[in-house]
Amino acid sequence: MRIPLDRQGPRPLYRQIEAYLREAITSGRLPAESRLPASRELAHDLGVSRLTTQSAYDELEASGLVAARAGSGTYVLTPPEARRSIRRAEWPLWQRQIQVASCPHETDAHDQAPTDRSSRQISFAGGIGDHRLFPVDEFRKVLQAVIRRDGAAALDYGDDAGHPGLRTVIAQVLTSQGLATRPEDVLVTSGSQQALALISSALLHPGDAVLVEQPTYRGALDLFRRQGLRLVGIGVDGQGMRVEELEALLLMHHPRLIYTIPNFHNPTGVCLATPRRRRLVALAARHNIPIVEDDFVGDLRFEGRSQPALKTSDAGGGVLYVSTFSKMLMPGLRVGFVVAEGPIHRVLVHAKRAHDLASCNLVQRAVCEYVTIGRYQTHLRRSGRACHRRRDAMVDAMRRFLPVDVEVDPPRGGLFLWIRLPPAISSTTLLPLAHHAGVTFAPGNDFFVEPRHGESFLRLNFATHPPEVIVEGVKRLGRAMRRALPSSGSRG
Ligand code: PMP
């Protein structure tokens, strides 16, 4: 691409490149979906540094004119002017009646948001592990082997409840962990998010109450809110859900479902203490309330001994156990599952068929193969070691580089550190300052039934980056905190 540049003029080169591309995009000479040359290539063509072209691209991206797509390149988006004129156009009446105000903006979906790979921001906001640790090559080989072996059968819809081989492997893995499971009680879903959606659509009606930990996983809150459910929060401390408060809440609100994350809770990272586990299951059974046990990252433990799943204390059919390969393997596979005995299993299989017919057969077969040949265990051990180092690096960096003492209880597995800020700082005032300093996090408000209760908290994902990037990110966070503080509260 040839861009005329005035190398003697006062205007920085990156601004000139940005202005040229901006004009080309807004005039339509570069239409939506055109791919810009790689920044390195453009830098070479123009005889400038790569930093110059990358800065121009960053500015265009910040204006919403282009977007970098991981592994693919930088693409032109529909210019804002055009988007505005579409919005101004007369939508059909039914469209105008749709309430969008309650839908969070895409970029607010911190749990799904991967690290911002396109910019120099360091994101601790995401809800998944490090894409650099994804076993891409090994998985490619497994996929190829499955296609070669199974041919067209791998590309058919497959069994309603999920690929039988994968259900068997899931049952074997759970049984080896002390949760005796039969393959016929497993339903494979498109991620555990779908398992949650199927369960709530099968068991709940608008207006029903659901009991959730407070704070809890934002995706569950979003789902339950969308279904018009009433959210009842129960507090969490260092031992997990405060089960002592449960009975009073059950009697007061009559929830139709209890949703809990007993291992490495999202967002706090705590594990539910064993006596509380037993008590929770017994109380739910006494009050005839199903429990959804969301074990999204239970296998990612790097210290201490694991506690028994809630489902192991269940006399049968009371607990629906949900898990996923998203965190421990790769989220884009969209393979999760629910273990449910009794009539609910049939209802869930039927609901699954009604929602999306089936999860991808090929991917299920590949996951089955990957787990069977022992790659999964090796990958888990490797990820666990990396996460352990990263957790330590983050905790250590926080002690060294934050200007205030923050309360944090390092978890023994999982992905998250949950931070209580000193009273002088709120996470909503800190977030834009952090962004400006080049780091992001998930603000506490995202995780509360009443968002304002989360003002003093923030969640940091320690698993996304290698230690040296973590240290730099925490330094930036420290800088943002210094700016957020009234000058007295600083640790120096
Ligand atoms: N449960 C919890 C606690 C989560 O954090 C997530 C994802 N962030 C999910 C369920 C859903 O994940 P997936 O659909 O990818 O399995």
Side-chain angles (χ1 to χ4, degrees):
M1 185 180 275
R2 303 197 65 78
I3 299 180
L5 295 177
D6 175 7
R7 291 172 199 271
Q8 314 310 326
R11 211 160 171 225
L13 292 175
Y14 84 92
R15 283 278 178 214
Q16 296 183 41
I17 298 169
E18 181 219 334
Y20 181 90
L21 291 173
R22 182 181 293 275
E23 199 280 321
I25 293 168
T26 48
S27 68
R29 277 190 294 120
L30 267 178
E33 287 313 304
S34 322
R35 186 173 177 279
L36 295 185
S39 58
R40 191 189 304 274
E41 201 182 301
L42 184 62
H44 180 262
D45 287 351
L46 300 178
V48 299
S49 78
R50 177 148 179 242
L51 188 66
T52 303
T53 48
Q54 190 55 53
S55 301
Y57 283 14
D58 285 349
E59 293 293 323
L60 293 169
E61 184 158 27
S63 316
L65 289 171
V66 303
R69 297 185 188 147
S72 167
T74 300
Y75 289 82
V76 175
L77 298 174
T78 311
E81 270 316 313
R83 282 206 294 268
R84 237 172 275 137
S85 65
I86 294 168
R87 232 176 275 142
R88 258 188 261 122
E90 281 293 289
W91 294 112
L93 186 58
W94 65 267
Q95 286 262 31
R96 278 180 268 154
Q97 287 164 340
I98 289 176
Q99 306 286 325
V100 288
S102 61
C103 299
H105 195 269
E106 258 172 66
T107 51
D108 293 344
H110 294 289
D111 242 45
Q112 281 68 42
T115 238
D116 187 349
R117 286 157 203 165
S118 59
S119 73
R120 280 154 288 159
Q121 284 279 338
I122 295 174
S123 174
F124 296 137
I128 56 170
D130 182 354
H131 67 280
R132 284 161 292 217
L133 300 178
F134 290 173
V136 179
D137 270 348
E138 289 174 310
F139 204 75
R140 177 179 50 75
K141 287 183 199 141
V142 168
L143 268 173
Q144 283 168 341
V146 166
I147 290 230
R148 219 176 291 123
R149 185 192 65 198
D150 298 349
L155 297 162
D156 214 336
Y157 277 135
D159 194 309
D160 281 348
H163 177 56
L166 178 60
R167 287 191 280 132
T168 303
V169 163
I170 290 170
Q172 281 164 355
V173 171
L174 293 179
T175 303
S176 74
Q177 293 171 349
L179 176 58
T181 306
R182 303 178 314 162
E184 54 270 40
D185 295 326
V186 177
L187 164 64
V188 178
T189 53
S190 297
S192 50
Q193 188 72 18
Q194 187 183 47
L196 301 179
L198 297 177
I199 292 167
S200 57
S201 76
L203 292 176
L204 304 170
H205 301 286
D208 285 349
V210 182
L211 191 123
V212 297
E213 281 137 356
Q214 160 118 297
T216 192
Y217 165 47
R218 173 189 165 142
L221 291 177
D222 279 351
L223 172 75
F224 296 146
R225 285 190 182 118
R226 279 206 77 81
Q227 298 196 339
L229 304 172
R230 268 187 305 128
L231 294 167
V232 177
I234 179 165
V236 172
D237 60 24
Q239 310 272 298
M241 181 198 288
R242 289 209 288 262
V243 175
E244 307 77 62
E245 296 167 12
L246 181 61
E247 187 144 38
L249 289 168
L250 298 185
L251 292 170
M252 196 187 313
H253 298 282
H254 304 288
R256 303 293 302 268
L257 186 93
I258 298 172
Y259 169 70
T260 178
I261 309 168
N263 293 322
F264 311 121
H265 177 254
N266 184 0
T268 64
V270 297
C271 289
L272 186 62
T274 305
R276 284 188 178 180
R277 290 179 185 238
R278 289 201 206 98
R279 182 130 184 243
L280 168 58
V281 175
L283 272 173
R286 185 160 354 122
H287 289 263
N288 189 30
I289 303 172
I291 294 179
V292 174
E293 172 174 21
D294 182 349
D295 193 15
F296 76 118
V297 79
D299 283 354
L300 209 59
R301 169 180 287 280
F302 38 77
E303 277 177 349
R305 300 215 358 245
S306 51
Q307 284 119 315
L310 295 180
K311 195 160 175 56
T312 57
S313 326
D314 170 21
V319 176
L320 305 170
Y321 178 91
V322 168
S323 189
T324 178
F325 288 97
S326 285
K327 317 288 162 166
M328 273 99 64
L329 196 50
M330 295 178 275
L333 300 172
R334 308 309 300 133
V335 179
F337 58 91
V338 49
V339 181
E341 308 97 359
I344 184 66
H345 186 266
R346 273 231 7 237
V347 175
L348 292 176
V349 174
H350 181 239
K352 164 77 182 161
R353 196 185 317 138
H355 274 249
D356 68 353
L357 300 182
S359 292
C360 175
N361 193 349
L362 173 62
V363 169
Q364 289 184 68
R365 285 168 190 250
V367 171
C368 174
E369 179 72 9
Y370 187 82
V371 177
T372 309
I373 58 182
R375 297 267 158 84
Y376 181 57
Q377 293 305 330
T378 315
H379 170 71
L380 269 185
R381 276 195 296 277
R382 206 185 302 137
S383 308
R385 278 197 299 273
C387 289
H388 195 169
R389 277 196 299 276
R390 292 168 182 207
R391 182 208 62 181
D392 289 348
M394 188 173 269
V395 171
D396 181 57
M398 283 170 52
R399 292 205 180 104
R400 288 168 52 208
F401 301 116
L402 296 190
V404 287
D405 287 318
V406 293
E407 253 180 62
V408 58
D409 188 8
R412 312 178 101 193
L415 309 168
F416 307 123
L417 284 184
W418 181 242
I419 315 282
R420 183 194 277 274
L421 294 164
I425 311 181
S426 85
S427 62
T428 36
T429 42
L430 184 60
L431 190 59
L433 295 171
H435 204 265
H436 190 253
V439 64
T440 54
F441 57 80
N445 317 42
D446 281 0
F447 307 98
F448 281 78
V449 175
E450 278 284 346
R452 70 197 155 81
H453 292 154
E455 281 293 336
S456 316
F457 299 95
L458 54 94
R459 189 192 72 183
L460 299 179
N461 182 327
F462 57 76
T464 323
H465 299 287
E468 59 281 9
V469 180
I470 291 178
V471 171
E472 174 56 27
V474 174
K475 282 185 184 167
R476 294 180 186 182
L477 188 61
R479 250 174 262 145
M481 280 185 175
R482 233 168 253 125
R483 293 193 58 203
L485 274 175
S487 44
S488 54
S490 158
R491 189 163 69 179

